[in-house]
């Protein structure tokens, strides 16, 4: 009995070490890039195989349509089955994807195939269909950015003895939370880049517009100054013409 307890303690300790390593490795990977596509792909790749056999991220657009932003499958040959190019509204989405909209409305995770745990949206749970796909258990977790659900992380266990329970849900929610931080950082970075580019474009145009009329004016002033320094006679009409030509522009520059 003592030996059995020791084995259980060691097993729990090893599992905790693997969990911490997973969290640490994921946090490090997500911190290496600010590109949105790269970040989302890192999230689903991090989930496989430790948390799921395949994982996908669906994001909600400003028009309330969802699009598949990232997907990763343990079996490379089946990875294409997870890809989806079209953006779908809730009315257009097949039954297995309607749960994503429910997750956004309820702002909570959904676990399917978890050996009896209550399912918030049983109408979207189809045991027969899950069996055909070889899915033993699945989880859908909301991704938050500034308290707004911007997407859903979905993971599934296929043809395995593993099922999602409370521990796996907490881990998936932690991963989704880190994904939300990474998405926000990526968007802020892109907004900052756009702001800097807009500023540079404005300064370039303004500098060009200001510099263009000043260049010939400076040259003419230099020529007039050299003429006066040389004590050569200057035609008054020339000075009057110069003032009449440039005074309106000089006045527009302010005092």
């Amino acid at each position: 009995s003592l030996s059995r307890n020791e084995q259980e303690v060691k097993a729990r300790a090893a599992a905790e070490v693997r969990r911490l390593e997973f969290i640490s490795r994921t946090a490090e990977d997500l911190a290496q890039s600010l590109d949105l596509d790269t970040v989302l792909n890192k999230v689903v790749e991090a989930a496989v195989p430790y948390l799921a056999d395949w994982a996908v991220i669906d994001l909600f657009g400003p028009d309330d349509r969802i699009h598949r932003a990232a997907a990763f499958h343990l079996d490379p040959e089946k990875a294409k089955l997870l890809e989806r190019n079209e953006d779908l509204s809730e009315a257009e989405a097949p039954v297995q994807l309607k749960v994503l909209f429910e997750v956004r409305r309820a702002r909570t995770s959904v676990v399917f195939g978890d050996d009896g745990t209550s399912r918030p949206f049983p109408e979207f749970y189809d045991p027969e269909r899950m069996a055909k796909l070889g899915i033993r258990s699945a989880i859908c977790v909301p991704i938050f950015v500034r308290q707004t659900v911007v997407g859903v992380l979905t993971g599934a266990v296929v043809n395995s003895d593993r099922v999602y329970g409370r521990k796996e849900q907490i881990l998936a929610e932690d991963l989704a939370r880190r994904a939300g931080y990474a998405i926000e950082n990526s968007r802020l970075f892109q907004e900052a880049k756009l702001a800097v580019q807009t500023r540079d474009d404005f300064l370039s145009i303004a500098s060009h517009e200001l510099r263009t009329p000043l260049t010939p004016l400076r040259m003419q002033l230099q020529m007039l100054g050299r003429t006066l320094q040389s004590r050569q006679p200057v035609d008054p009409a020339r000075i009057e013409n110069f003032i009449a030509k440039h005074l309106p522009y000089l006045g527009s520059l302010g005092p």
Side-chain angles (χ1 to χ4, degrees):
S1 176
L2 180 61
S3 176
R4 187 163 55 250
N5 290 337
E6 289 178 351
Q7 291 177 357
E8 292 176 354
V9 170
K10 289 181 179 180
R12 287 197 297 269
E16 181 63 16
V17 169
R18 289 195 299 272
R19 187 184 71 85
L20 294 175
E21 289 177 344
F22 168 76
I23 294 174
S24 175
R25 184 173 61 254
T26 301
E28 183 179 351
D29 288 343
L30 295 182
Q32 292 178 357
S33 177
L34 288 171
D35 178 72
L36 183 59
D37 290 337
T38 300
V39 166
L40 296 179
N41 280 292
K42 282 182 176 293
V43 171
V44 293
E45 289 173 12
V48 179
Y50 181 77
L51 187 61
D53 293 331
W54 60 257
V56 299
I57 288 179
D58 294 279
L59 295 182
F60 296 101
D63 56 356
D64 287 336
R65 302 173 74 87
I66 56 171
H67 69 274
R68 180 69 38 92
F72 192 75
H73 200 295
L74 188 62
D75 184 349
E77 295 182 358
K78 296 181 179 179
K80 292 185 177 181
L81 298 176
L82 301 177
E83 296 178 359
R84 195 179 71 246
N85 296 323
E86 70 277 16
D87 293 354
L88 300 173
S89 66
E90 184 171 7
E92 298 167 340
V95 64
Q96 68 270 20
L97 293 182
K98 291 185 183 295
V99 68
L100 303 181
F101 294 91
E102 292 294 338
V103 168
R104 181 176 64 167
R105 278 192 287 269
R107 302 168 62 85
T108 186
S109 302
V110 181
V111 179
F112 295 122
D114 57 349
D115 286 351
T117 301
S118 61
R119 303 177 182 88
F121 315 116
E123 62 270 26
F124 302 113
Y125 177 65
D126 184 352
E128 184 177 345
R129 184 177 184 280
M130 291 181 70
K132 288 181 180 179
L133 295 175
I135 298 176
R136 178 174 176 80
S137 188
I139 186 169
C140 298
V141 182
I143 299 175
F144 288 90
V145 170
R146 297 182 183 181
Q147 304 302 315
T148 299
V149 179
V150 300
V152 177
L153 168 66
T154 302
V157 175
V158 181
N159 296 328
S160 170
D161 292 335
R162 295 190 299 166
V163 292
Y164 289 121
R166 182 58 182 163
K167 291 182 179 180
E168 290 75 18
Q169 179 179 339
I170 293 174
L171 190 58
E173 289 173 349
D174 180 79
L175 180 59
R177 184 163 51 251
R178 295 176 187 276
Y181 295 151
I183 291 172
E184 175 68 355
N185 290 339
S186 176
R187 289 182 175 177
L188 290 175
F189 177 67
Q190 295 301 323
E191 290 175 1
K193 283 180 60 178
L194 180 59
V196 170
Q197 183 62 48
T198 302
R199 182 206 63 184
D200 291 345
D201 291 344
F202 170 77
L203 292 177
S204 176
I205 294 172
S207 175
H208 175 75
E209 292 297 326
L210 289 174
R211 187 166 54 243
T212 299
L214 288 177
T215 301
L217 176 60
R218 186 182 299 110
M219 294 177 61
Q220 293 185 48
L221 284 173
Q222 290 173 349
M223 292 176 60
L224 183 60
R226 284 195 294 268
T227 301
L228 293 174
Q229 288 176 355
S230 67
R231 304 291 182 177
Q232 296 179 9
V234 179
D235 184 2
R238 177 184 174 189
I239 297 178
E240 291 177 0
N241 181 60
F242 177 84
I243 294 175
K245 180 178 180 180
H246 296 288
L247 186 60
Y249 172 72
L250 293 174
S252 68
L253 296 179

